[in-house]
Amino acid sequence: MDKVIMYIDMDAFFASVEQTSRPKLCGKPVAVAGRNRRTVLVASSYEAKRLGIKTGMTKGEARRILPSLTIVEGKNEKYVDTCVKINEILLRYTPEVEIHSIDESFIDLTGSFPLFSSPIRVARAIKGEIRDSFGITCSVGIGPNRLVAKMAGESGKPDGLVMVKREDVKEFMKELPVESIPGVGKRIGMALKNLKVKSCGELRDFPVSILRRRFGIWGDYLSFMAQGIEPPKDEGPGKLPASIGHSMTLEQDIGDRVAIKAHILELSEMVARRLRKEGVAARGFSLTWRYPDFTTYTKRVSIPFHTQDSKMIYQVIGKLMDCIKLKDRLRLLGVTAFNIQKSMAISSLIEKNDRREKLYKAMDSINDAFGEHSIHRATLLLCKKHHWVISPAYRPYKSYPHKQ
Amino acid sequence: MLTKIGKRIRVGVVFKEEGQKIEPKWFLWRGRRLVVKRITYTWRERIGKELVHRFALTDGRDLYELSYWQERLLWFLEAVETDG
């Protein structure tokens, strides 16, 4: 029996939630951003998108393009709570729910299919429930695997419902641009265009040996995906992230090294907490810094062992910072962990590390129960309290806190 | 534009489904009893030990943001949407 995978993607999620909450914003160009003066837009409504507003623009840039744009301060808890409630709806149809990001989920209807008359009816019911409960729309794609389901869903945006049966996959993919394949961005899209490959149909027929020579293992994946086949190493619940990082645009440019180090400690804490949540450890770390003229630099370092210890990460990145001769004040700082593997308990054999691990465990439990930053290092008091909005790529880790 | 208020208020509320569903019906603000015409959005948030239920609602004219602090059984008017 063919698999039945459904992809559910909220349309302009954060902006739609804000428009529903505040009916005066309905039908108007709206963008969502943090409170910080220099923060970037994390989402925009379809009305704003049509008028040239894009995610990632600074507030100033967006206002210059569209003075009538309403910029709303994002509320993370509102979006996370809505995501959790939406996934509670999905769980009524199948236990096989995978939260892909805060505004996208996959559900596997294969096992529960006999309970329902057709996937289309399930999709309509889900769309209806989401619209009635939250006043927002979603696009749904149905396919024999996650790749085709996602591409089907994306092709029907906004508020679409597209089903692609296994026998129709070839025809469905034929005319789609290569950029519609998940993971194919501007750079790969341009490289493929240079090879005179514009559509998935052309990519499918293109010799895989040339793709492999040009893109390495990605060449094989591209060829697979153009045929509607999910690559074997595609992400699943057990897949390790390639990197985990955080960056922040500072409220004001800073040149004081003590303040810079405090921000590095804050970022190291954030990265380490995510490593611990994912149950992974890293042995490669990078520091990114940006000057007011937007020139950006990154320096990488590797250590001999894997760690998820925030103090260790801070020390490694701090040493990197000490080696850098700053030519100006800084506008942005970022810390990223890479070279990631499943965390192992070897370090706990060392007594000092064992104590530190227990400390992190206790801190993580407190922050899980009472909210992020409920407990943190005293040095972080040097950092101004930030208000940032989560990226739509954020994936909630846990069930809703009141159920714990 | 949302104007922050952050004042304690008295609210008439119906608790449904064993307290799982909370529906504010009216609230007192500046000596007036404002009747809730429509709840436009609800969400929940953890602040320390507290579970806070938040409501965006309208009296048919203006938009208000109310919060209910479940542990302390308190209601607050958090913000009012004003034109402009």
Side-chain angles (χ1 to χ4, degrees):
Chain A
M1 186 184 165
D2 270 353
K3 271 195 168 258
V4 182
I5 306 292
M6 190 180 288
Y7 168 75
I8 301 103
D9 184 10
M10 301 304 127
D11 299 325
F13 183 43
F14 295 177
S16 300
V17 166
E18 295 304 335
Q19 284 179 314
T20 307
S21 303
R22 296 164 64 180
K24 280 182 188 168
L25 298 179
C26 285
K28 290 185 181 163
V30 174
V32 178
R35 190 183 305 146
N36 187 334
R37 184 171 51 92
R38 305 203 296 190
T39 191
V40 295
L41 307 185
V42 292
S44 52
S45 66
Y46 280 99
E47 296 84 357
K49 282 177 187 169
R50 274 196 288 273
L51 296 167
I53 300 300
K54 288 184 182 136
T55 301
M57 281 180 173
T58 62
K59 282 182 181 177
E61 208 179 337
R63 283 218 169 91
R64 274 194 295 280
I65 291 172
L66 189 62
S68 62
L69 179 72
T70 306
I71 300 180
V72 179
E73 198 178 282
K75 292 190 169 92
N76 297 340
E77 293 293 341
K78 194 176 189 177
Y79 314 136
V80 172
D81 187 46
T82 306
C83 167
V84 170
K85 287 177 185 162
I86 287 170
N87 283 285
E88 281 171 3
I89 292 176
L90 303 181
L91 278 166
R92 293 210 290 270
Y93 293 91
T94 170
E96 302 284 329
V97 174
E98 184 202 329
I99 303 177
H100 188 62
S101 71
I102 196 162
D103 61 352
E104 300 165 291
S105 292
F106 288 100
I107 63 173
D108 185 343
L109 282 173
T110 317
S112 50
F113 185 53
L115 297 171
F116 308 104
S117 50
S118 81
I120 290 279
R121 288 186 81 157
V122 173
R124 284 200 186 119
I126 288 172
K127 281 169 74 72
E129 276 195 65
I130 290 173
R131 192 179 46 242
D132 295 346
S133 306
F134 310 103
I136 58 177
T137 62
C138 64
S139 297
V140 174
I142 305 166
N145 59 41
R146 297 187 328 152
L147 173 75
V148 176
K150 185 172 166 68
M151 291 177 75
E154 297 288 349
S155 73
K157 272 186 146 304
D159 202 15
L161 168 52
V162 179
M163 180 167 170
V164 181
K165 289 183 181 161
R166 184 172 291 283
E167 56 271 27
D168 302 329
V169 170
K170 204 172 166 184
E171 193 56 36
F172 166 71
M173 306 265 306
K174 199 175 157 189
E175 299 300 326
L176 288 179
V178 286
E179 285 87 355
S180 59
I181 296 176
V184 176
K186 268 187 194 163
R187 201 173 54 85
I188 295 179
M190 194 57 81
L192 286 170
K193 273 190 188 107
N194 290 339
L195 297 171
K196 307 240 178 314
V197 174
K198 285 180 190 158
S199 68
C200 291
E202 288 167 342
L203 181 58
R204 187 184 56 213
D205 299 333
F206 200 80
V208 69
S209 55
I210 300 176
L211 291 174
R212 198 179 297 142
R213 217 177 306 141
R214 177 68 183 78
F215 302 103
I217 187 73
W218 247 95
D220 291 74
Y221 288 173
L222 287 170
S223 185
F224 274 135
M225 291 194 283
Q227 297 167 61
I229 301 168
E230 212 170 345
K233 275 181 77 182
D234 196 16
E235 61 188 69
K239 197 224 174 188
L240 297 176
S243 65
I244 287 177
H246 280 283
S247 64
M248 56 171 78
T249 300
L250 304 161
E251 187 89 36
Q252 296 171 330
D253 298 338
I254 54 169
D256 173 25
R257 283 201 177 249
V258 175
I260 290 172
K261 284 274 190 87
H263 285 293
I264 289 176
L265 175 61
E266 187 180 16
L267 288 161
S268 304
E269 287 277 10
M270 289 159 78
V271 169
R273 176 143 162 80
R274 272 183 62 200
L275 288 170
R276 293 195 295 269
K277 274 188 170 180
E278 297 265 5
V280 295
R283 69 181 204 91
F285 300 95
S286 70
L287 170 68
T288 300
W289 67 100
R290 180 175 293 158
Y291 293 112
D293 63 0
F294 282 83
T295 51
T296 308
Y297 298 89
T298 297
K299 215 168 174 153
R300 295 168 150 232
V301 65
S302 288
I303 58 173
F305 51 89
H306 287 80
T307 186
Q308 48 176 209
D309 178 342
S310 41
K311 197 170 174 190
M312 184 74 70
I313 298 171
Y314 167 67
Q315 282 168 348
V316 169
I317 298 288
K319 268 187 196 160
L320 264 185
M321 188 73 224
D322 291 339
C323 304
I324 299 164
K325 202 175 165 200
L326 295 176
K327 63 171 190 179
D328 200 346
R329 293 151 76 90
L330 300 184
R331 177 188 169 88
L332 173 141
L333 276 167
V335 171
T336 302
F338 57 93
N339 213 332
I340 286 171
Q341 70 165 37
K342 277 264 165 231
S343 121
M344 287 180 282
I346 294 170
S347 60
S348 63
L349 297 174
I350 305 163
E351 196 188 343
K352 211 172 158 189
N353 281 5
D354 186 33
R355 285 188 58 193
R356 220 184 275 171
E357 266 178 30
K358 282 180 184 161
L359 171 70
Y360 291 135
K361 220 175 186 174
M363 284 173 72
D364 287 344
S365 305
I366 292 169
N367 285 325
D368 283 343
F370 300 115
E372 291 298 329
H373 310 297
S374 294
I375 184 166
H376 56 72
R377 288 176 195 277
T379 312
L380 298 189
L381 293 170
L382 287 173
C383 303
K384 251 192 172 170
K385 206 174 171 195
H386 299 282
H387 175 262
W388 69 84
V389 186
I390 47 180
S391 144
Y394 171 82
R395 180 165 43 182
Y397 287 91
K398 53 182 182 187
S399 59
Y400 194 67
H402 78 279
K403 291 195 172 162
Q404 286 184 338
Chain B
M1 197 180 82
L2 275 180
T3 307
K4 287 202 169 27
I5 306 288
K7 288 264 195 289
R8 253 188 85 178
I9 51 165
R10 292 180 68 191
V11 181
V13 57
V14 174
F15 289 88
K16 288 181 179 170
E17 295 165 23
E18 295 172 350
Q20 291 297 303
K21 203 169 177 200
I22 305 168
E23 279 184 13
K25 294 292 179 187
W26 53 262
F27 60 98
L28 300 179
W29 173 238
R30 287 184 173 161
R32 284 191 302 147
R33 185 174 180 271
L34 300 170
V35 177
V36 177
K37 283 265 160 51
R38 188 159 71 94
I39 299 171
T40 58
Y41 215 81
T42 63
W43 69 103
R44 299 161 296 186
E45 183 176 344
R46 266 253 175 246
I47 299 179
K49 203 174 150 192
E50 282 272 10
L51 180 65
V52 183
H53 300 260
R54 297 194 181 275
F55 304 86
L57 46 84
T58 174
D59 63 348
R61 205 185 67 172
D62 296 315
L63 187 88
Y64 301 86
E65 206 178 289
L66 268 57
S67 67
Y68 170 57
W69 295 61
Q70 191 173 284
E71 192 80 13
R72 291 186 288 158
L73 304 173
L74 295 179
W75 283 88
F76 287 87
L77 174 61
E78 299 285 358
V80 181
E81 186 176 54
T82 51
D83 288 327

